[in-house]
Amino acid sequence: MSETFAVTRALFDEVMVPNYAPANLIPVRGQGSRVWDQQDKEYVDFAGGIAVNCLGHCHPALVNALTTQANKLWHLSNVMTNEPALRLAKKLVDSTFAEKVYFANSGAEANEGALKLARRWALDNFGEQKQDIISFGKSFHGRTFFTVTVGGQAAYSDGFGPKPGAVYHAEYNNLDSLKALISDNTCAVILEPIQGEGGIIPATEEFIKGVRELCDQHKALLIFDEVQTGVGRTGHLYAYMQYGVTPDILTSAKSLGGGFPIGAMLTTTAIAAHLKVGTHGSTYGGNPLACAVAEAALDTINTPKVLADVLAKEKLFRQELSRINAKYDVFTEVRGQGMLLGAALNEKFKGRSRDFLLASADQGLFVLMAGYDVVRFAPSLVIPDADIIEGMARFERAVAKVVQG
Ligand SMILES: Cc1ncc(COP(=O)(O)O)c(C=O)c1O
């Protein structure tokens, strides 16, 4: 490289829109569950992007898929279809409830497609009055104006002018609050099986089953946002599979591409039929590079062994976290499933998840927050046990620093 300027964190403040506040360190390479910064300091990665790098960094199967496809064909537009998109769609259909797939570039766009489809399905089948969308408090569905309005945190959607209408919010894990809002005018209910950004809050099985029943009673579509929980993260290919409850539409992103941007909306043939030619689309949706990488990620993860190992690694994480907690008393509980776990801070440390994140980075470890009261862990699904142990030794040192003040 022959830059005449220094590529430092200070350059971010100079040239980037200030909507993020990135860490001071700048990672430059990664391998498996380890990452190195510009100063060659090494980190264990318990963050995985934000629940994205499902196979760690530079996994050989993904590197191979990407480089092979990069030497063949990069982009076509949806004026033509392509082989990687067709192969990926077929594999998603074969391994889920879905019969049809729509590809997007992100979780928000997958959800945008799902919500637009639900509205169009309701309009075609029942008429204009059936347009209510019900979501839940603390939910997160992305940052487009429709998805952020549907999300359960007004703070993220306020201040941008008039919002899309007919969007309502019930309380998560509270069927009575949904009963009070749902009616024959409801076209869809959207929920995360485990609320991720909202604090790693799992839906109870009773709640998920109750929501399905209420949707059926009122002829409303049930949309599962599995952007964070999908593609093996809970030890199931998709979280819905463990409840015996099938959604009408499911959205997937994050782990789907293992770090390459892709989103997908999955549904049935009958519902999909309402997105007729010209009703919706995306220049990059179904891009061959993205689909080739996602196909390799899906092939690698969707095996009984890898999925079972995710649950074994959850056990190890929980053991280590309770060992640390027994010594330092910082958490009330560890919530979540598989490689999507949240340690909820107790009264003494409430509001301080960022302190744990910063102290962890000092010790050579990436962790995440899920709000200010929860430290979140979303590592690679195939993180070696030795990296879990090493990362937890670093986390223990970080916890000790925060506790000592
Ligand atoms: C459940 C859920 N849905 C949607 C999104 C939005 O995904 P993206 O940032 O890829 O648009 C996220 C991102 O955190 C998410 O956790």
Side-chain angles (χ1 to χ4, degrees):
M1 300 272 172
S2 59
E3 287 99 351
T4 53
F5 50 87
V7 182
T8 63
R9 172 62 179 78
L11 190 57
F12 180 94
D13 296 333
E14 204 181 309
V15 299
M16 302 283 262
V17 170
N19 61 316
Y20 301 117
N24 286 328
L25 64 106
I26 301 186
V28 291
R29 66 195 165 90
Q31 192 62 55
S33 284
R34 306 274 173 144
V35 173
W36 289 265
D37 71 12
Q38 286 177 317
Q39 283 69 41
D40 217 28
K41 177 173 167 177
E42 176 241 18
Y43 301 82
V44 173
D45 187 359
F46 282 177
I50 301 180
V52 166
N53 300 321
C54 54
L55 294 171
H57 299 272
C58 296
H59 189 284
L62 303 192
V63 172
N64 180 48
L66 181 60
T67 51
T68 303
Q69 188 60 39
N71 282 305
K72 276 182 162 173
L73 186 69
W74 283 36
H75 181 74
L76 287 165
S77 92
N78 284 300
V79 171
M80 274 159 269
T81 189
N82 68 76
E83 290 183 358
L86 292 171
R87 283 200 307 265
L88 176 61
K90 170 81 172 119
K91 287 179 181 182
L92 285 168
V93 162
D94 285 349
S95 42
T96 67
F97 76 96
E99 298 161 326
K100 292 282 192 281
V101 179
Y102 166 81
F103 288 121
N105 311 292
S106 65
E109 287 171 80
N111 283 330
E112 186 82 18
L115 295 165
K116 283 177 72 178
L117 171 56
R119 282 266 175 88
R120 189 54 72 99
W121 167 89
L123 180 72
D124 290 350
N125 284 322
F126 301 93
E128 266 174 19
Q129 77 294 346
K130 194 175 176 73
Q131 54 174 278
D132 294 359
I133 289 168
I134 303 178
S135 160
F136 296 94
K138 288 193 175 173
S139 66
F140 187 81
H141 300 295
R143 296 282 197 158
T144 64
F145 207 17
F146 199 177
T147 58
V148 83
T149 302
V150 168
Q153 298 196 52
Y156 291 157
S157 55
D158 286 349
F160 298 102
K163 299 178 189 180
V167 172
Y168 304 94
H169 297 91
E171 191 185 332
Y172 195 66
N173 276 335
N174 180 340
L175 275 180
D176 288 337
S177 107
L178 178 59
K179 270 182 208 155
L181 284 178
I182 200 167
S183 74
D184 289 349
N185 289 340
T186 305
C187 79
V189 176
I190 180 166
L191 75 85
E192 297 160 82
I194 299 174
Q195 287 193 329
E197 302 307 302
I200 311 296
I201 302 169
T204 63
E205 190 166 340
E206 183 198 358
F207 179 65
I208 290 208
K209 290 188 163 147
V211 174
R212 176 74 271 180
E213 276 168 27
L214 284 169
C215 285
D216 291 345
Q217 272 168 33
H218 293 283
K219 295 194 167 55
L221 298 180
L222 176 56
I223 305 171
F224 275 2
D225 177 344
E226 293 231 28
V227 167
Q228 194 150 162
T229 52
V231 197
R233 191 148 290 280
T234 64
H236 306 272
L237 184 62
Y238 286 98
Y240 84 85
M241 292 173 170
Q242 65 196 301
Y243 302 115
V245 167
T246 305
D248 300 298
I249 303 176
L250 179 148
T251 54
S252 188
K254 288 190 181 278
S255 292
L256 183 60
F260 203 96
I262 184 169
M265 175 187 75
L266 281 56
T267 189
T268 63
T269 300
I271 297 168
H274 296 271
L275 279 191
K276 295 189 173 68
V277 172
T279 51
H280 191 56
S282 155
T283 293
Y284 287 117
N287 170 274
L289 294 167
C291 291
V293 175
E295 185 194 6
L298 188 66
D299 285 346
T300 308
I301 289 164
N302 195 17
T303 70
K305 163 126 182 56
V306 170
L307 294 174
D309 279 356
V310 169
L311 296 176
K313 289 177 197 302
E314 174 189 348
K315 274 205 185 114
L316 185 54
F317 255 86
R318 284 180 179 276
Q319 261 170 31
E320 287 292 298
L321 285 171
S322 60
R323 181 184 62 73
I324 293 168
N325 203 32
K327 226 162 147 181
Y328 296 99
D329 188 25
V330 282
F331 308 127
T332 53
E333 61 174 339
V334 175
R335 300 190 291 252
Q337 194 181 18
M339 291 292 90
L340 182 59
L341 297 173
L345 296 168
N346 65 22
E347 272 309 314
K348 269 187 296 178
F349 296 95
K350 260 211 158 102
R352 294 190 58 194
S353 58
R354 192 170 161 78
D355 293 344
F356 286 88
L357 182 146
L358 294 174
S360 296
D362 273 353
Q363 296 301 322
L365 175 71
F366 293 163
V367 299
L368 294 164
M369 301 159 55
Y372 291 106
D373 300 332
V374 178
V375 181
R376 174 172 30 163
F377 306 91
S380 158
L381 306 183
V382 296
I383 183 172
D385 288 356
D387 285 0
I388 298 177
I389 299 289
E390 175 57 29
M392 283 297 173
R394 296 179 190 191
F395 188 59
E396 182 173 352
R397 292 200 287 276
V399 169
K401 289 264 184 203
V402 175
V403 169
Q404 283 152 19

